[in-house]
């Protein structure tokens, strides 16, 4: 089963678990256990290297070498680099841990993380001229923070606003949530913050997606206007 949205409006640039995803897609990837996470992540990244995409992988540092080795095993020689590539090389993977991205500066702050992505987008697409990118993030870093007051709401707000960010750049993003580690109090609002969901080998347009759930009507209108204006901006 593929996406319930058969529109050809957007270009298919990637697959997750063999199923097609399109440019601008922001996917909530629901997996079970480290083995499934690593297999899906490695396949997604290896495919990106073969396509010459700039790949960004966020996972704890103890898994960087294991994922890189799994990607290398799936890649043909000379199809890209898992490390040591030139800074402006399009076909490469940049590995980072939560402390270098989502928890940069100590703790999670959605506005700070969205500024991080703005800077990353400027560097990747404007400065380096990358045509397509793919981002994969293991969200297990959030597990210890779930009980913090306001955290799940801030995470949902971040995911919703990231969807707007993703609509402005030629990339596809998979946010990976472990169903064995997060309960329904987290999964339900997080799923509702993603327009596309992958689970059990099925990918579909999310009928429960609520873009404005975390915003006032005025803020949602302003953010959508900003995203639409950016999409209309001619390339540099």
């Amino acid at each position: 089963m593929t996406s319930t949205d058969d529109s050809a409006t957007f270009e298919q640039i990637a697959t997750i678990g063999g199923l097609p995803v399109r440019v601008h897609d922001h996917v909530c990837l629901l997996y079970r256990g480290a083995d499934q996470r690593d297999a899906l992540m490695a396949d997604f990244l290896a495919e990106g290297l073969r396509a010459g995409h700039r790949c960004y992988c966020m996972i704890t540092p103890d898994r960087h070498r294991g994922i890189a080795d799994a990607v290398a095993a799936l890649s043909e020689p000379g199809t890209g680099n898992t490390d040591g590539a030139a800074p402006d090389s399009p076909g490469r993977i940049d590995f980072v841990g939560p402390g270098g991205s989502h928890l940069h500066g100590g703790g999670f702050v959605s506005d700070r993380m969205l500024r991080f992505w703005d800077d990353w987008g400027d560097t990747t697409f404007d400065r380096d001229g990358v045509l397509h990118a793919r981002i994969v993030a293991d969200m297990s870093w959030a597990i210890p923070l779930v009980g913090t007051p306001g955290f799940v709401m801030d995470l949902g707000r971040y995911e919703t606003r990231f969807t707007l960010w993703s609509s402005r750049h030629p990339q596809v993003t998979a946010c990976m949530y472990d169903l064995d580690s997060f309960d329904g109090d987290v999964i339900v609002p997080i799923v509702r913050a993603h327009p596309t969901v992958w689970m059990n080998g099925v990918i579909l347009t999310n009928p429960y997606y609520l873009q404005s759930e975390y915003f006032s009507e005025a803020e949602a209108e302003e953010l959508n206007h900003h995203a639409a204006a950016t999409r209309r901006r001619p390339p540099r």
Side-chain angles (χ1 to χ4, degrees):
M1 180 175 179
T2 57
S3 170
T4 57
D5 180 0
D6 294 326
S7 169
T9 303
F10 299 110
E11 175 188 2
Q12 177 191 330
I13 64 167
T15 63
I16 297 176
L19 300 175
V21 289
R22 305 169 304 175
V23 67
H24 305 303
D25 273 353
H26 177 208
V27 182
C28 183
L29 198 167
L30 302 174
Y31 69 93
R32 288 192 181 277
D35 288 346
Q36 186 182 31
R37 177 200 64 197
D38 290 357
L40 289 167
M41 183 177 283
D43 184 66
F44 182 69
L45 294 170
E47 181 189 70
L49 287 187
R50 292 193 295 269
H53 293 175
R54 176 71 54 82
C55 300
Y56 180 98
C57 178
M58 195 284 290
I59 193 169
T60 55
D62 63 294
R63 291 305 304 144
H64 290 183
R65 176 47 54 190
I67 297 297
D69 289 345
V71 170
L74 294 169
S75 303
E76 297 178 6
T79 57
N81 294 278
T82 55
D83 53 24
D88 59 351
S89 173
R92 75 164 200 247
I93 302 174
D94 295 329
F95 287 95
V96 65
S101 58
H102 292 69
L103 298 178
H104 180 70
F108 177 75
V109 179
S110 59
D111 288 344
R112 181 171 60 209
M113 191 58 205
L114 288 159
R115 289 193 297 272
F116 171 92
W117 287 120
D118 281 339
D119 292 341
W120 186 87
D122 289 343
T123 298
T124 301
F125 301 109
D126 295 339
R127 189 197 71 183
D128 293 349
V130 170
L131 296 180
H132 291 108
R134 56 182 70 194
I135 300 164
V136 60
D138 176 28
M139 303 300 285
S140 297
W141 60 267
I143 295 169
L145 302 177
V146 166
T148 304
F151 172 74
V152 174
M153 176 66 75
D154 197 32
L155 184 61
R157 180 182 178 86
Y158 160 74
E159 293 284 22
T160 304
R161 294 187 68 180
F162 185 90
T163 296
L164 298 174
W165 179 91
S166 69
S167 72
R168 293 151 42 198
H169 298 289
Q171 52 70 56
V172 59
T173 296
C175 297
M176 304 186 73
Y177 287 87
D178 189 351
L179 290 172
D180 291 338
S181 299
F182 292 100
D183 62 23
D185 290 342
V186 177
I187 293 299
V188 170
I190 292 305
V191 164
R192 293 172 73 174
H194 288 78
T196 307
V197 177
W198 190 104
M199 182 173 65
N200 294 332
V202 175
I203 190 165
L204 68 156
T205 301
N206 183 8
Y208 303 107
Y209 172 55
L210 294 177
Q211 178 172 295
S212 61
E213 182 177 16
Y214 300 99
F215 307 120
S216 68
E217 183 177 349
E219 184 177 20
E221 183 177 351
E222 179 182 356
L223 289 168
N224 279 315
H225 176 75
H226 174 67
T230 307
R231 287 196 298 272
R232 291 194 298 267
R233 187 182 303 160
R236 300 182 185 180

